[in-house]
mmCIF file of all heavy atoms in Angstrom:
data_model
loop_
_atom_site.group_PDB
_atom_site.id
_atom_site.type_symbol
_atom_site.label_atom_id
_atom_site.label_comp_id
_atom_site.label_asym_id
_atom_site.label_seq_id
_atom_site.Cartn_x
_atom_site.Cartn_y
_atom_site.Cartn_z
ATOM 1 N N CYS A 30 -5.975 14.511 -26.927
ATOM 2 C CA CYS A 30 -6.441 13.682 -25.811
ATOM 3 C C CYS A 30 -5.588 12.400 -25.736
ATOM 4 O O CYS A 30 -5.440 11.702 -26.733
ATOM 5 C CB CYS A 30 -7.905 13.323 -26.016
ATOM 6 S SG CYS A 30 -8.509 12.095 -24.859
ATOM 7 N N TYR A 32 -6.310 9.680 -24.390
ATOM 8 C CA TYR A 32 -7.144 8.476 -24.366
ATOM 9 C C TYR A 32 -7.676 8.115 -25.742
ATOM 10 O O TYR A 32 -7.638 6.965 -26.133
ATOM 11 C CB TYR A 32 -8.328 8.665 -23.416
ATOM 12 C CG TYR A 32 -7.893 8.989 -22.017
ATOM 13 C CD1 TYR A 32 -7.893 10.305 -21.558
ATOM 14 C CD2 TYR A 32 -7.474 7.984 -21.163
ATOM 15 C CE1 TYR A 32 -7.472 10.608 -20.284
ATOM 16 C CE2 TYR A 32 -7.059 8.289 -19.865
ATOM 17 C CZ TYR A 32 -7.063 9.592 -19.438
ATOM 18 O OH TYR A 32 -6.647 9.887 -18.184
ATOM 19 N N CYS A 33 -8.180 9.110 -26.464
ATOM 20 C CA CYS A 33 -8.810 8.797 -27.742
ATOM 21 C C CYS A 33 -8.166 9.523 -28.921
ATOM 22 O O CYS A 33 -8.515 9.277 -30.066
ATOM 23 C CB CYS A 33 -10.307 9.094 -27.680
ATOM 24 S SG CYS A 33 -10.682 10.853 -27.635
ATOM 25 N N GLY A 34 -7.226 10.422 -28.648
ATOM 26 C CA GLY A 34 -6.519 11.094 -29.725
ATOM 27 C C GLY A 34 -7.210 12.313 -30.300
ATOM 28 O O GLY A 34 -6.683 12.969 -31.197
ATOM 29 N N GLN A 35 -8.365 12.613 -29.776
ATOM 30 C CA GLN A 35 -9.125 13.781 -30.224
ATOM 31 C C GLN A 35 -8.305 15.062 -29.991
ATOM 32 O O GLN A 35 -7.663 15.211 -28.951
ATOM 33 C CB GLN A 35 -10.441 13.835 -29.442
ATOM 34 C CG GLN A 35 -11.256 15.108 -29.580
ATOM 35 C CD GLN A 35 -11.948 15.236 -30.928
ATOM 36 O OE1 GLN A 35 -12.116 14.270 -31.653
ATOM 37 N NE2 GLN A 35 -12.355 16.442 -31.262
ATOM 38 N N CYS A 56 -11.547 16.278 -22.584
ATOM 39 C CA CYS A 56 -11.667 15.942 -23.994
ATOM 40 C C CYS A 56 -13.106 16.214 -24.451
ATOM 41 O O CYS A 56 -14.059 15.856 -23.778
ATOM 42 C CB CYS A 56 -11.308 14.478 -24.213
ATOM 43 S SG CYS A 56 -11.580 13.930 -25.904
ATOM 44 N N LYS A 58 -14.503 14.878 -26.933
ATOM 45 C CA LYS A 58 -15.078 13.686 -27.534
ATOM 46 C C LYS A 58 -15.431 12.633 -26.474
ATOM 47 O O LYS A 58 -16.585 12.266 -26.322
ATOM 48 C CB LYS A 58 -14.118 13.114 -28.570
ATOM 49 C CG LYS A 58 -14.737 12.083 -29.488
ATOM 50 C CD LYS A 58 -13.688 11.614 -30.491
ATOM 51 C CE LYS A 58 -14.099 10.316 -31.161
ATOM 52 N NZ LYS A 58 -12.913 9.687 -31.781
ATOM 53 N N CYS A 59 -14.399 12.169 -25.727
ATOM 54 C CA CYS A 59 -14.663 11.082 -24.769
ATOM 55 C C CYS A 59 -14.948 11.606 -23.358
ATOM 56 O O CYS A 59 -15.278 10.834 -22.473
ATOM 57 C CB CYS A 59 -13.521 10.074 -24.759
ATOM 58 S SG CYS A 59 -11.986 10.698 -24.053
ATOM 59 N N ARG A 60 -14.779 12.895 -23.146
ATOM 60 C CA ARG A 60 -15.095 13.554 -21.873
ATOM 61 C C ARG A 60 -14.145 13.214 -20.732
ATOM 62 O O ARG A 60 -14.400 13.549 -19.590
ATOM 63 C CB ARG A 60 -16.540 13.266 -21.426
ATOM 64 C CG ARG A 60 -17.596 13.778 -22.389
ATOM 65 C CD ARG A 60 -17.808 15.263 -22.278
ATOM 66 N NE ARG A 60 -18.403 15.794 -23.497
ATOM 67 C CZ ARG A 60 -18.445 17.101 -23.785
ATOM 68 N NH1 ARG A 60 -17.936 17.987 -22.974
ATOM 69 N NH2 ARG A 60 -18.990 17.506 -24.908
ATOM 70 N N LYS A 61 -13.066 12.509 -21.075
ATOM 71 C CA LYS A 61 -12.109 12.185 -20.021
ATOM 72 C C LYS A 61 -11.239 13.408 -19.749
ATOM 73 O O LYS A 61 -11.052 14.233 -20.619
ATOM 74 C CB LYS A 61 -11.252 10.986 -20.432
ATOM 75 C CG LYS A 61 -11.988 9.689 -20.217
ATOM 76 C CD LYS A 61 -11.160 8.506 -20.610
ATOM 77 C CE LYS A 61 -11.942 7.238 -20.367
ATOM 78 N NZ LYS A 61 -11.748 6.253 -21.398
HETATM 79 ZN ZN1 ZN B 10 -10.765 11.790 -25.643
#
Side-chain angles (χ1 to χ4, degrees):
C30 171
Y32 302 99
C33 71
Q35 169 73 18
C56 174
K58 194 179 163 198
C59 69
R60 298 283 158 194
K61 280 180 180 141

